[in-house]
Amino acid sequence: MHGGGRVEITPEILLRAYAAGIFPMAEDADDPSLFWVEPRERGILPLDGFHIPRRLARTVRADVFEIRIDHDFDAVIAACAEPRSGRDKTWINARIRRLYGQLFDLGHCHTVEAYRAGRLVGGLYGVRLGAAFFGESMFHRERDASKVALVHLVARLRHGGFRLLDTQFATEHLARFGVIEIPRNAYRRLLRDALDASADWLAWPLDRPVSGAEALAALQAPRT
């Protein structure tokens, strides 16, 4: 779905787009234009059906990485935009960085960051609206760093009463966690219900460290 062009997109327009089920992308980092995307089949990670491989659960419980929330957005989106194995281009251009930086300043964009020895080695960022979280991109510089960040994200979403984790697309990387694809109309119904509900990103305050054991416990706790 195209149509971004050089029309000025504000953070408010971007939030309205998410509420309507669409999101922007760029062809590559050097292309200044954006286009709107609304997948026919939408990827979501069911918050009540999130699967953690056994080996990864051990890594989470061991607190191999220090997890920080909303600590360094600029470093996270810059890392997500870096070329990586199997991908020479990125859809994160300068406009994307600026827009999502503005959303971060407004409190609608969030990061989950994994550190080892004080160095950022993995993480992700996404957008929050109501009880919906829209995952945008993730990266890792050490094995399992982004996966551990994802586990902590899902734990925070469950603990805070979120209803929808939108991954946009169902990727091979997310398949091991139980990602599913649903038709556009079914997604719109889930999105509408999530936007009508409330959730609390700060149910665990930012200055309160969450251990791997606590994150795993939140994933197993019954939901009301």
Side-chain angles (χ1 to χ4, degrees), residues 47 128-133 156-165 198-202 223:
L47 293 173
R128 173 186 56 85
L129 265 182
F133 189 90
R156 178 169 287 271
L157 296 181
R158 280 180 57 95
H159 185 67
F162 284 78
R163 297 191 178 186
L164 174 65
L165 173 49
S198 60
D200 186 3
W201 177 256
L202 299 177
R223 300 239 289 169

Side-chain angles (χ1 to χ4, degrees), residues 30-83:
D30 298 323
D31 187 343
S33 64
L34 300 177
F35 59 91
W36 295 111
V37 180
E38 187 182 21
R40 190 177 301 276
E41 296 287 324
R42 194 74 166 230
I44 65 167
L45 266 175
L47 293 173
D48 293 328
F50 183 71
H51 172 70
I52 308 175
R54 201 170 296 172
R55 184 190 63 79
L56 179 62
R58 289 197 296 269
T59 302
V60 172
R61 191 176 298 278
D63 290 321
V64 172
F65 304 104
E66 177 196 353
I67 300 299
R68 302 178 191 173
I69 306 297
D70 295 345
H71 178 71
D72 194 343
F73 171 81
D74 290 338
V76 170
I77 196 168
C80 286
E82 290 173 355

Side-chain angles (χ1 to χ4, degrees), residues 66-189:
E66 177 196 353
I67 300 299
R68 302 178 191 173
I69 306 297
D70 295 345
H71 178 71
D72 194 343
F73 171 81
D74 290 338
V76 170
I77 196 168
C80 286
E82 290 173 355
R84 66 189 69 163
S85 176
R87 191 198 72 180
D88 296 328
K89 291 186 176 182
T90 175
W91 53 269
I92 300 174
N93 65 5
R95 290 181 78 193
I96 291 282
R97 292 198 197 197
R98 184 174 67 254
L99 270 172
Y100 286 82
Q102 291 170 333
L103 282 187
F104 180 78
D105 291 340
L106 291 170
H108 281 286
C109 191
H110 298 285
T111 61
V112 181
E113 307 159 24
Y115 291 80
R116 192 192 310 241
R119 176 174 170 263
L120 179 65
V121 294
L124 57 87
Y125 75 96
V127 173
R128 173 186 56 85
L129 265 182
F133 189 90
F134 309 87
E136 282 296 317
S137 188
M138 58 200 310
F139 78 97
H140 70 276
R141 292 169 177 152
E142 288 191 14
R143 181 182 180 182
D144 289 340
S146 63
K147 297 173 189 172
V148 171
L150 178 62
V151 171
H152 275 264
L153 169 68
V154 176
R156 178 169 287 271
L157 296 181
R158 280 180 57 95
H159 185 67
F162 284 78
R163 297 191 178 186
L164 174 65
L165 173 49
D166 173 7
T167 67
Q168 300 176 346
F169 304 102
T171 66
E172 186 177 332
H173 176 72
L174 294 173
R176 72 198 73 188
F177 298 104
V179 72
I180 61 173
E181 285 186 318
I182 60 174
R184 185 180 295 165
N185 287 341
Y187 171 77
R188 286 175 176 167
R189 287 193 294 272

